[in-house]
Amino acid sequence: MAGISGLPARRAALQMLDAVMRRGETLEQAEGAATRKLHTSEDKALARAIVSEALRWLADFDALIDSATKKRLPDDAKPRSVLRLMLAQALRLETPPHAVIATGLPLLSGGPRRLAHGVFSNLIKQKPELPKPPTLPERAQLRWGDTGEQIAPGLANPPELDLRLKNIATTVEQAVAMGGVSLASGHLRLPRGTRTESLPGFKEGDWWVQDLAAQIPASLLGEGEGRHALDLCAAPGGKTMQLAASGWNVTALDLSKRRLGLLKENLKRTGLKASPVRADALTWEPKHQFDAILLDAPCTATGTCRRHPDVLHRIGERQIAEMAELQGALVDRAADWLKPGGVLVYAVCSLEREEGEEQAARITSELGLQPLPATSEELPSGLTPTDEGWVRTHPGMLPDEGGLDGFFIARWVKR
């Protein structure tokens, strides 16, 4: 069994799926331990692709499995998990059925193996087609309501590769050189699967990887002209580098030593300057006030579901409430650190109202900050602000251009 080609990658995928569905781990947390014994980057990428597709289409795979079993398998039953991975390979990754069987069934033994073989074979004979778009998990349907129907098409495929250019004046030139498309000044989009290290300008630090939606918050602060900005919860550094490239004198604060190390590496590669600070924003006290503060707050990250489909299955009411409480505490502190006339941008990569719209309403009503509405001219083509002047994006937007992550972004000025 150990000698079956491709089996270790499938075993790693099963381990990751189990960690997400049973223990509530993120895919990133699960991946390290699960792929430790895989010897090639190709095997690691394959394991990640299999489990990602299983999570992306989980509700639809489960419906197929249930249609082919007389007695419903428990949600956490190992045969169900293995069948999810087998269907993901056959129906999404176009793996030949014989290869799926050869690498899937050894994950089981005895009766469960015979059951999985029978269910998979019967389903493949029926030549099933998955719905378009994927069916959202029940709790996502309940939370997002009608908006979920707009979001779902954006979850069908992994996202393409977005770059942020250090010098936005070279946008057209870089797009031509790398064969990409630009959806905003300083943005470049390339096909998924592109190896970043091989692209022109990587070693020179001409750009960094950053989703289109994630580029909006820093852009709403405009040109710095040497003024002081605080990037709260800054690592791994995309927004810090945006601010530095726009002329801000940036203090980049983050609690995580590992993530702050990534920020420092990114600053070194791009040649941009900032002042990294490792501290807890809930206890840290700055030496001076700031002209601008960007709070990209810790959140449930449900807006990243097209690249991190595990959030569709991990996040529930408890996590949302915990994050909303933390966000409120961070906002309260940030408001005190603004100079009169200073600008606060609040952002979360979440689709939940408690983390976005409800936070913004409280900031306006309780903290004495004056809303500074975003304008269409400040946003990527095809996006418009809400009636309140907030920015709300989700994965189903800009479908012809390849979509973007879900974000909530709002801006205020301190009077």
Side-chain angles (χ1 to χ4, degrees):
M1 184 186 299
I4 298 175
S5 176
L7 180 57
R10 274 69 174 188
R11 184 174 287 115
L14 179 61
Q15 188 175 336
M16 283 189 274
L17 182 61
D18 182 71
V20 170
M21 299 301 295
R22 294 182 60 194
R23 299 197 297 275
E25 294 183 17
T26 69
L27 208 46
E28 279 65 35
Q29 288 171 334
E31 187 173 11
T35 62
R36 189 182 302 120
K37 295 182 180 180
L38 298 182
H39 301 300
T40 68
S41 58
E42 289 78 11
D43 276 350
K44 292 180 180 180
L46 175 59
R48 177 65 180 256
I50 293 171
V51 72
S52 293
E53 290 304 306
L55 291 167
R56 201 179 297 279
W57 296 84
L58 195 80
D60 298 305
F61 292 150
D62 279 349
L64 286 173
I65 294 167
D66 292 343
S67 73
T69 54
K70 294 180 180 180
K71 183 178 180 181
R72 189 180 186 278
L73 293 170
D75 288 340
D76 61 352
K78 192 173 183 180
R80 180 182 288 277
S81 295
V82 171
L83 281 165
R84 288 164 170 168
L85 299 177
M86 293 174 72
L87 290 171
Q89 294 170 75
L91 301 183
R92 290 296 299 162
L93 301 180
E94 299 182 347
T95 307
H98 71 271
V100 175
I101 291 172
T103 55
L105 296 187
L107 300 173
L108 299 166
S109 61
R113 179 187 293 197
R114 291 190 293 273
L115 171 66
H117 192 180
V119 169
F120 178 77
S121 298
N122 287 336
L123 287 174
I124 294 303
K125 288 177 183 176
Q126 297 171 20
K127 298 182 179 180
E129 291 187 6
L130 293 171
K132 297 179 181 180
T135 302
L136 293 175
E138 183 177 1
R139 62 178 158 188
Q141 295 182 41
L142 293 173
R143 276 208 140 260
W144 301 341
D146 293 340
T147 306
E149 296 182 7
Q150 304 169 28
I151 294 171
L155 308 183
N157 297 298
E160 296 174 287
L161 178 68
D162 283 343
L163 306 180
R164 178 70 186 190
L165 303 180
K166 182 168 66 174
N167 182 358
I168 64 174
T170 66
T171 301
V172 175
E173 174 188 338
Q174 295 274 37
V176 172
M178 288 193 268
V181 296
S182 177
L183 303 179
S185 181
H187 166 265
L188 191 60
R189 175 162 289 179
L190 301 171
R192 69 171 79 71
T194 303
R195 289 180 58 86
T196 54
E197 295 86 352
S198 64
L199 289 172
F202 173 78
K203 292 181 180 179
E204 295 79 6
D206 292 342
W207 48 263
W208 54 90
V209 175
Q210 190 177 17
D211 184 79
L212 174 63
Q215 298 180 24
I216 297 173
S219 68
L220 290 182
L221 288 175
E223 295 297 318
E225 300 174 340
R227 292 175 294 163
H228 290 271
L230 171 63
D231 185 4
L232 272 175
C233 312
K239 298 176 182 67
T240 292
M241 291 185 286
Q242 266 188 271
L243 293 171
S246 296
W248 289 93
N249 186 342
V250 188
T251 298
L253 185 142
D254 203 276
L255 178 59
S256 169
K257 180 179 180 180
R258 181 187 66 82
R259 287 170 57 81
L260 206 59
L262 294 175
L263 184 148
K264 293 176 181 178
E265 290 176 9
N266 283 324
L267 289 173
K268 182 178 181 180
R269 182 176 67 85
T270 58
L272 294 167
K273 304 297 182 183
S275 300
V277 176
R278 185 186 175 201
D280 185 344
L282 294 176
T283 58
W284 178 69
E285 293 294 342
K287 296 179 180 179
H288 58 81
Q289 290 184 308
F290 296 89
D291 300 290
I293 296 178
L294 172 54
L295 173 53
D296 183 11
C299 68
T300 57
T302 51
T304 67
C305 48
R306 65 189 188 130
R307 69 181 70 247
H308 301 296
D310 53 293
V311 300
L312 295 168
H313 310 283
R314 292 188 299 102
I315 300 301
E317 301 301 318
R318 177 179 59 82
Q319 292 94 333
I320 294 169
E322 289 174 352
M323 286 294 102
E325 182 178 358
L326 175 59
Q327 292 151 7
L330 290 170
V331 165
D332 290 347
R333 292 184 65 77
D336 291 337
W337 300 337
L338 269 180
K339 291 180 180 179
V343 175
L344 168 69
V345 169
Y346 171 81
V348 285
C349 55
S350 168
L351 297 170
E352 316 309 323
R353 290 188 58 84
E354 295 93 327
E355 301 180 83
E357 288 83 353
E358 292 181 16
Q359 292 286 355
R362 189 187 74 84
I363 292 170
T364 299
S365 63
E366 297 182 11
L367 299 187
L369 300 180
Q370 180 176 331
L372 190 59
T375 66
S376 297
E377 290 73 24
E378 295 177 289
L379 302 179
S381 178
L383 299 180
T384 56
T386 67
D387 292 342
E388 298 86 354
W390 303 332
V391 181
R392 168 56 84 185
T393 66
H394 65 66
M397 292 180 171
L398 305 182
D400 294 337
E401 289 79 22
L404 73 172
D405 281 353
F407 261 78
F408 177 86
I409 309 159
R411 181 175 61 182
W412 296 263
V413 61
K414 188 174 185 178
R415 296 302 186 191

